[in-house]
Amino acid sequence: MKLHFEPNLDYQIQAIEAVCDLFRGQEVCRTEFTVTMKPPVAITADMSPGTVLLEQMTLGLAESDLGVGNRLTLLDDELHKNLADIQLRGGLPPSGTLASGDFTVEMETGTGKTYVYLRSVFELNKRYGFTKFVIVVPSVAIKEGVYKSLQITEDHFKGLYAGVPFDYFIYDSAKLGQVRNFATSSSIQIMVVTVGAINKKDVNNLYKDSEKTGGEKPIDLIKATRPIVIVDEPQSVDGGLSGAGKTALDAMNPLCTLRYSATHADKHHMVYRLDAIDAYERKLVKQIEVASATVEDAYNKPFVRLVSVSNKRGTIAAKIELDVTTANGVKRQEMTVSDGDDLEQTSKKRAIYADFRIGEINTAKGEEFLELRYPGGEVYLAVGQAHGDVDALAVQREMIRRTIKEHLDKEKRLRPQGIKVLSLFFIDAVDRYRQYDADGNAVKGDYARIFEEEYQRAAKLPAYQSLFAEVDLASAAEEVHNGYFSIDKKGGWSDTSESNAGNRENAERAYNLIMKEKEKLLGFETPLKFIFSHSALKEGWDNPNVFQICALREMGTERERRQTIGRGLRLCVNQDGERLRGFEVNTLTVIATENYEQFAENLQKEIELDTGIRFGIVEYHQFAAIAVTGADGIPVALGVDQSKTLWEQLKAAGHIDAKGKVQDSLRQALKDETLVLPIEFEPQRGQITEVLRKLCGRLQIKNADERKQVRTRQAVLESAEFKALWDRIKQQTTYRVAFDAEKLVLDAIAAFQKAPAIVKTHLQWRKADIAIGKAGVEAIEKAGAATVVLNEADIELPDLLTDLQDRTQLTRRTITRILTESGRLDDFRRNPQQFIEIASETINRCKRLALVDGIKYQRLGNDHYYVQELFQQNELSGYLQNMLMDTTKSVYEHVVYDSNTERDFADALEKNDAIKIYAKLPGWFKIPTPLGSYNPDWAVLVEQDGDERLYFIVETKSSLFTDDLRDKESAKIECGKAHFQALAVEQSPAQYVVARSIDDVLARAMNA
């Protein structure tokens, strides 16, 4: 198998553009300099990189190769303006000042973060000539993952970027010659390094003179190139803002630092955010459901669990869980206790706790415990440990059994689609899975033994016989599971962290088994399907076809819940390596020991902690990116000032409080669609309410026990009415794009004439008074600010036509005509790079519009259509909380909806007498478009005056304003219209309608 990479996913392109636009206006630079000096120039703390290069070149002391480094020509003011534009466009909190060269990209796990930053390397090189990149990662797992990604994307990137040469390597302190090549080579150089290999100055070869680098310190060679440093999972790299990791990053003298993660601890200048809510709502990751394994009514033993200990003002206490008598029976509750407390009294006189007392409570950090004294002995409980709990193995057996069931259920459904299903177990200790006897032979631990017993039991059930035909169960049960743990030099399994070089080597041996054969694991020919891991498979390893994650250990630490489920969020692939979309295929089932509500609540808290999303809080900048039509007809952003005005008006109306917290009145107004907006914001109502609904809502985690198969309603499916409706929409089409070349050129000319002015490189002067007082040092700006244009007579003008041809794919003749007839060609000399950026962006926007305007659909032959039997052949399932139950007019017994708009629409269809039958069109009903396949929402039959029938395809939206729909979404709707127009060859064809409610459909019916 070879994984396929999609080059045009809009959210990934937006992330790449955000980073590249930081340097808008930067001229393409190729700075040559010598990288070796004899005698070497000492780099002192007060010497800038520019000084070092100047000394090397002017003293003429170099006797070795030339190298190519990165050089930034933008002024801080220009960089800050670019940053402000990017943040406005993305609806991100604005950065008041350019406090550092660190820029943050937040992308939810599973959405292609690694692909995005690797492609950004090539895009930055193409646009600005940057060649030196260092990728810093926190662990061996991520290092191996990044290296594997570079290998499998190599042909993909060479195809996208005209075969541009590039080298990549993993930093190895024993191979320092690679660092010299990194500095001297003129091609793109990518060095991948773990933070553990560079953050210990006193023992690290990176900071020592070496013959392998011509007598230089390797760090000095890296410094001289001014690399762009890319940090993968910075929250695990930095060690805090002043930690050893951050110090090691700064020691490389980076041109800038790009930080990529789903769970940032420190928010530097944010340039792009695709948060957990966006990813789930846009179905870019798998849907999450939870199968909860909670023990109930187990009150027959004296149960005590230590929750926490505290020492407040000299009062030492502990918080414990125990089973307490209440008015509604025995309940497990948290209670606070002190040394000597009698638990019989604490539990409200439950005799089962007779003579149970609290002993010593130790609050020393890292050594917290509670002594529990009982008849015949005592026990010391660490935080999280329990006495008198039910048999843990009995619970874990049930969890393993449930995981196998979920796995086999999905395998039955997905294997025919070419999808291999994987399951992942996280365990509390390696020896619970695999142990060693006295002779050093590996033997099965409890989990391995239980798994094989339960797998063999499940394989004999009638429901799964189709999966086990001609399979030897005795060997199959052993072949389908394996463990991935750190491996010591003797081949033994171990629980280790990567805290030293030896442990990192142990981890490396384990990852070689799984990281380098990612595609092989996805193939049906590999029997392995169930993976057990202790700590190895956390951030840095994921596989697109993990559909079950079973946590056989507590998920209690910060970020662990998100990191755990993150291993299975990526959308799945089939045997051809093609990614499949839609929640009907992509559902991740988490088997956990928390109940459903607790899991959702705790995941919510982790998301708030990790991402800074504050559920239920509206911030003043959050409407800034809303699209409005400018005076010249070109879409522009609403802006921070207008966003703040809207925020203030929501506060004045009592919909949010002074801190932006959402009030019940806002939730009710959104539900009833009665939200009153100032008249100037009325055209953007749809976009505004979409933002508010997201902020009012909560992350949707589904309960696996509420998943329900949805059967077809045969009376509707087999009716003459539905057949008539289906016959009008079932035909498939193909499309071609017929460009009106002349119109495209004229539109591009007109748009470029209205494009922003091209400004010359300039110098910004400001004056300020410096006041030093007890409160600190304060700078107060005063009159005297001025802008001075810099005459750059020595600018080397780039090849304008070739550059624009690469960016737009238009002919040189067409580009020449657009530039000359726009009357703006003289602007090219003012700022060549800015001119190229604005011209290419303007032309490409006109091309996108022309793509949809010129699309023509053609009906395929009579043999190409969706057969009605697909409704029965393709299983449909949903969750009770997103299901309109027991419908009578629908082709399905229940309607599975994705939004409140869809729910209300289905309910109205059921209640309106004019509606005879309808169908929520399933995910397999797709229309091809140049922007990806499109799945319309509804097929509806309306009957008027007792006999006249009208047929509709309906797309439900919360707003009909074009400005409120994303460009891509709006374009797909236009393609949908063109598709159904191509099918309208008979009397009373199906009409395509975009509707907010059933009233829009009925209004169209009356006017038909």
Side-chain angles (χ1 to χ4, degrees):
M1 177 192 294
K2 189 170 185 180
L3 293 175
H4 294 264
F5 296 90
E6 299 170 89
N8 298 313
L9 295 176
D10 57 351
Y11 62 94
Q12 293 182 347
I13 297 296
Q14 289 162 12
I16 294 164
E17 290 289 334
V19 166
C20 291
D21 285 352
L22 278 169
F23 305 102
R24 185 186 287 274
Q26 158 91 9
E27 62 190 74
V28 178
C29 293
R30 296 199 177 278
T31 305
E32 291 196 343
F33 60 89
T34 53
V35 293
T36 309
M37 306 85 74
K38 294 182 180 177
V41 175
I43 299 178
T44 60
D46 60 346
M47 189 182 290
S48 71
T51 308
V52 177
L53 301 185
L54 181 64
E55 294 228 18
Q56 291 172 26
M57 296 174 73
T58 54
L59 293 176
L61 300 173
E63 295 183 12
S64 68
D65 307 72
L66 294 177
V68 177
N70 301 329
R71 181 164 67 93
L72 186 66
T73 61
L74 292 180
L75 300 173
D76 280 357
D77 282 351
E78 293 170 311
L79 202 58
H80 186 228
K81 182 183 183 305
N82 288 343
L83 175 63
D85 291 343
I86 293 163
Q87 289 171 334
L88 173 62
R89 183 172 79 207
L92 300 169
S95 298
T97 59
L98 194 66
S100 71
D102 295 276
F103 302 96
T104 297
V105 175
E106 181 180 308
M107 293 186 71
E108 176 62 3
T109 302
T111 57
K113 164 175 61 73
T114 306
Y115 176 88
V116 163
Y117 69 64
L118 292 181
R119 185 165 171 185
S120 297
V121 166
F122 294 93
E123 198 63 34
L124 287 166
N125 172 262
K126 177 181 174 181
R127 297 188 189 191
Y128 309 113
F130 297 140
T131 57
K132 300 302 163 68
F133 301 87
V134 178
I135 301 173
V136 184
V137 301
S139 66
V140 172
I142 299 183
K143 178 188 75 175
E144 292 294 339
V146 171
Y147 192 70
K148 178 67 176 178
S149 294
L150 281 162
Q151 290 175 315
I152 63 180
T153 56
E154 186 167 347
D155 291 342
H156 172 76
F157 286 135
K158 283 183 176 177
L160 283 178
Y161 293 93
V164 62
F166 66 98
D167 297 314
Y168 56 91
F169 65 97
I170 293 176
Y171 169 78
D172 185 339
S173 60
K175 300 177 182 177
L176 294 177
Q178 291 177 315
V179 177
R180 176 170 181 75
N181 184 64
F182 173 86
T184 59
S185 174
S186 60
S187 64
I188 297 173
Q189 294 291 309
I190 304 170
M191 180 168 74
V192 184
V193 59
T194 59
V195 69
I198 62 172
N199 66 359
K200 295 180 174 63
K201 267 194 168 184
D202 49 341
V203 298
N204 201 304
N205 289 339
L206 188 70
Y207 302 94
K208 299 176 181 177
D209 295 337
S210 172
E211 292 182 3
K212 295 176 182 176
T213 55
E216 305 302 323
K217 294 183 178 72
I219 188 64
D220 289 345
L221 295 182
I222 295 170
K223 273 184 179 180
T225 68
R226 295 218 66 195
I228 291 176
V229 174
I230 295 169
V231 189
D232 197 330
E233 307 293 356
Q235 74 281 356
S236 300
V237 167
D238 287 350
L241 288 174
S242 57
K246 190 71 171 69
T247 301
L249 298 178
D250 294 340
M252 293 186 195
N253 187 35
L255 181 136
C256 71
T257 304
L258 306 175
R259 305 160 66 82
Y260 292 79
S261 179
T263 54
H264 290 280
D266 299 299
K267 308 281 186 179
H268 298 268
H269 306 302
M270 183 79 73
V271 296
Y272 182 76
R273 165 177 273 178
L274 178 69
D275 61 40
I277 310 301
D278 288 326
Y280 299 147
E281 285 185 346
R282 295 171 65 181
K283 300 183 180 180
L284 305 177
V285 293
K286 289 193 183 88
Q287 174 178 253
I288 303 170
E289 66 175 15
V290 180
S292 302
T294 55
V295 178
E296 298 177 3
D297 299 323
Y299 306 130
N300 303 308
K301 296 180 183 178
F303 171 86
V304 181
R305 183 194 300 275
L306 178 59
V307 177
S308 63
V309 296
S310 62
N311 184 349
K312 294 181 179 177
R313 297 179 183 176
T315 302
I316 294 176
K319 190 174 286 186
I320 63 171
E321 267 187 348
L322 71 166
D323 300 332
V324 178
T325 303
T326 72
N328 298 315
V330 177
K331 301 290 181 186
R332 190 157 289 177
Q333 294 184 351
E334 286 188 1
M335 310 291 283
T336 300
V337 294
S338 302
D339 188 353
D341 280 3
D342 178 353
L343 294 191
E344 185 175 10
Q345 297 302 315
T346 307
S347 65
K348 309 292 176 66
K349 299 188 177 180
R350 289 198 74 213
I352 203 167
Y353 287 105
D355 296 323
F356 272 71
R357 292 185 176 277
I358 300 298
E360 180 185 355
I361 299 172
N362 187 7
T363 61
K365 192 169 184 180
E367 301 174 8
E368 298 93 340
F369 69 79
L370 174 145
E371 181 189 11
L372 178 66
R373 297 172 183 164
Y374 56 89
E378 71 272 331
V379 65
Y380 293 89
L381 300 178
V383 173
Q385 283 187 334
H387 172 79
D389 209 348
V390 296
D391 179 12
L393 271 185
V395 175
Q396 288 157 339
R397 177 181 287 275
E398 292 303 318
M399 295 178 72
I400 291 171
R401 178 181 294 176
R402 178 65 182 263
T403 304
I404 293 170
K405 178 186 182 301
E406 294 285 348
H407 179 107
L408 296 179
D409 284 342
K410 285 207 182 89
E411 192 169 326
K412 271 179 64 180
R413 186 161 54 88
L414 299 179
R415 188 181 177 93
Q417 300 179 48
I419 301 168
K420 181 178 176 182
V421 175
L422 300 176
S423 293
L424 183 56
F425 293 91
F426 284 101
I427 66 176
D428 43 356
V430 171
D431 60 11
R432 303 293 295 274
Y433 178 76
R434 185 161 294 159
Q435 302 173 354
Y436 296 91
D437 62 19
D439 298 324
N441 300 313
V443 294
K444 294 167 187 172
D446 288 335
Y447 294 154
R449 175 180 53 79
I450 290 171
F451 173 84
E452 291 183 11
E453 291 170 0
E454 291 300 325
Y455 189 77
Q456 289 172 340
R457 187 194 66 81
K460 295 173 184 175
L461 295 174
Y464 306 124
Q465 288 310 294
S466 62
L467 297 174
F468 293 100
E470 301 178 6
V471 172
D472 179 3
L473 287 179
S475 60
E478 291 188 346
E479 292 174 349
V480 296
H481 72 103
N482 208 339
Y484 288 88
F485 313 107
S486 292
I487 306 171
D488 62 29
K489 289 181 179 178
K490 297 178 182 177
W493 307 91
S494 61
D495 299 340
T496 59
S497 64
E498 296 179 25
S499 55
N500 57 51
N503 284 351
R504 285 195 293 275
E505 287 176 16
N506 292 346
E508 190 104 40
R509 280 184 282 273
Y511 302 134
N512 284 343
L513 292 173
I514 191 165
M515 301 297 290
K516 294 183 178 178
E517 297 187 340
K518 194 170 186 177
E519 297 94 333
K520 187 176 177 181
L521 189 58
L522 290 165
F524 287 141
E525 66 279 1
T526 303
L528 177 62
K529 303 174 186 177
F530 297 86
I531 300 163
F532 287 78
S533 179
H534 174 250
S535 57
L537 303 185
K538 50 180 184 177
E539 57 188 17
W541 184 89
D542 54 43
N543 190 294
N545 287 19
V546 169
F547 285 92
Q548 286 72 231
I549 290 178
C550 179
L552 294 171
R553 65 180 190 206
E554 291 289 328
M555 289 195 292
T557 61
E558 286 183 9
R559 297 191 179 87
E560 185 166 354
R561 198 170 277 93
R562 285 197 76 203
Q563 290 289 2
T564 297
I565 66 173
R567 302 315 99 220
L569 285 182
R570 196 174 296 277
L571 297 180
C572 68
V573 299
N574 61 19
Q575 293 301 289
D576 295 323
E578 297 166 342
R579 204 164 297 283
L580 283 80
R581 305 188 180 281
F583 285 166
E584 62 273 12
V585 175
N586 290 286
T587 296
L588 173 67
T589 305
V590 180
I591 294 89
T593 53
E594 293 174 292
N595 68 40
Y596 156 68
E597 292 85 2
Q598 280 180 326
F599 186 94
E601 187 64 32
N602 288 329
L603 180 60
Q604 198 95 2
K605 288 176 182 176
E606 285 187 18
I607 290 173
E608 289 185 327
L609 179 70
D610 288 343
T611 68
I613 296 172
R614 293 191 295 160
F615 292 97
I617 300 291
V618 182
E619 298 184 78
Y620 73 88
H621 67 269
Q622 287 184 298
F623 307 103
I626 284 175
V628 298
T629 303
D632 54 7
I634 296 175
V636 296
L638 187 65
V640 175
D641 291 342
Q642 283 286 83
S643 177
K644 194 168 186 178
T645 299
L646 177 56
W647 187 91
E648 293 287 357
Q649 289 172 333
L650 288 170
K651 187 177 78 167
H655 291 320
I656 57 176
D657 67 12
K659 294 182 178 179
K661 186 173 178 60
V662 170
Q663 304 299 297
D664 288 341
S665 64
L666 178 56
R667 291 190 176 94
Q668 192 63 44
L670 290 171
K671 182 180 178 182
D672 299 340
E673 297 187 353
T674 57
L675 179 65
V676 177
L677 293 174
I679 191 68
E680 66 266 30
F681 296 112
E682 195 59 42
Q684 285 74 47
R685 169 177 289 276
Q687 293 180 85
I688 292 167
T689 54
E690 185 181 345
V691 170
L692 290 172
R693 278 200 179 94
K694 175 183 169 183
L695 296 170
C696 289
R698 299 179 71 77
L699 182 63
Q700 291 293 310
I701 304 297
K702 306 296 175 64
N703 185 350
D705 292 329
E706 291 186 355
R707 191 192 323 125
K708 184 180 179 68
Q709 292 302 121
V710 181
R711 295 194 297 268
T712 53
R713 188 175 293 284
Q714 291 303 106
V716 174
L717 184 64
E718 296 170 4
S719 67
E721 291 87 352
F722 183 73
K723 184 178 186 306
L725 173 60
W726 191 247
D727 284 345
R728 284 163 171 77
I729 67 172
K730 68 182 182 182
Q731 203 70 30
Q732 295 178 4
T733 61
T734 185
Y735 68 82
R736 60 187 176 86
V737 177
F739 275 103
D740 182 337
E742 181 64 18
K743 184 175 184 301
L744 171 61
V745 170
L746 294 176
D747 287 348
I749 291 169
F752 194 33
Q753 287 171 339
K754 297 174 183 176
I758 306 294
V759 297
K760 280 192 173 184
T761 303
H762 57 276
L763 190 69
Q764 182 69 47
W765 287 102
R766 287 193 177 93
K767 296 176 73 177
D769 288 330
I770 303 298
I772 303 176
K774 292 181 179 179
V777 180
E778 184 180 10
I780 304 169
E781 191 166 351
K782 57 188 289 187
T787 301
V788 179
V789 173
L790 299 178
N791 290 316
E792 296 180 292
D794 59 343
I795 289 181
E796 184 178 337
L797 296 176
D799 185 340
L800 174 61
L801 292 181
T802 299
D803 206 331
L804 285 178
Q805 192 174 17
D806 287 343
R807 291 170 184 248
T808 66
Q809 287 78 53
L810 296 184
T811 64
R812 297 169 76 90
R813 177 180 294 180
T814 300
I815 294 169
T816 301
R817 182 182 167 193
I818 292 170
L819 297 180
T820 53
E821 293 188 23
S822 70
R824 299 196 60 176
L825 197 52
D826 289 344
D827 290 347
F828 177 53
R829 289 183 177 277
R830 296 171 64 85
N831 192 322
Q833 188 61 34
Q834 192 180 35
F835 182 91
I836 290 170
E837 296 285 345
I838 291 176
S840 61
E841 185 178 314
T842 303
I843 293 169
N844 282 330
R845 186 187 299 119
C846 292
K847 267 183 64 183
R848 283 194 293 272
L849 293 172
L851 192 69
V852 175
D853 287 345
I855 197 163
K856 302 291 182 188
Y857 278 85
Q858 183 175 348
R859 180 174 176 155
L860 292 171
N862 292 333
D863 295 335
H864 297 274
Y865 61 91
Y866 289 112
V867 296
Q868 199 165 312
E869 287 75 18
L870 285 169
F871 281 96
Q872 294 165 294
Q873 293 170 7
N874 288 273
E875 243 178 38
L876 180 68
S877 64
Y879 298 86
L880 296 179
Q881 68 185 54
N882 289 102
M883 202 179 285
L884 186 66
M885 302 293 291
D886 301 320
T887 55
T888 59
K889 300 176 183 178
S890 168
V891 74
Y892 290 107
E893 291 181 346
H894 318 295
V895 174
V896 181
Y897 55 81
D898 295 328
S899 65
N900 290 341
T901 300
E902 288 189 356
R903 178 202 61 203
D904 296 343
F905 188 76
D907 189 48
L909 291 174
E910 282 291 321
K911 293 173 179 174
N912 195 291
D913 291 339
I915 308 301
K916 292 305 163 187
I917 56 171
Y918 67 92
K920 176 76 165 65
L921 291 170
W924 48 259
F925 187 91
K926 293 177 179 176
I927 296 168
T929 84
L931 305 170
S933 59
Y934 163 56
N935 173 218
D937 288 333
W938 310 88
V940 180
L941 189 157
V942 180
E943 189 171 282
Q944 285 189 321
D945 303 324
D947 61 354
E948 184 184 0
R949 289 177 179 169
L950 297 168
Y951 305 91
F952 293 96
I953 293 292
V954 183
E955 182 71 26
T956 41
K957 295 295 175 191
S958 59
S959 171
L960 302 185
F961 286 103
T962 305
D963 278 356
D964 289 344
L965 302 176
R966 293 189 185 96
D967 286 344
K968 190 171 180 180
E969 191 176 359
S970 181
K972 283 189 175 183
I973 286 173
E974 292 303 313
C975 291
K977 289 178 184 176
H979 165 86
F980 287 107
Q981 284 170 0
L983 300 188
V985 295
E986 57 187 283
Q987 190 176 8
S988 188
Q991 302 176 53
Y992 185 89
V993 182
V994 181
R996 291 165 299 186
S997 68
I998 193 173
D999 294 336
D1000 293 324
V1001 178
L1002 296 177
R1004 178 72 171 270
M1006 288 192 309
N1007 295 323

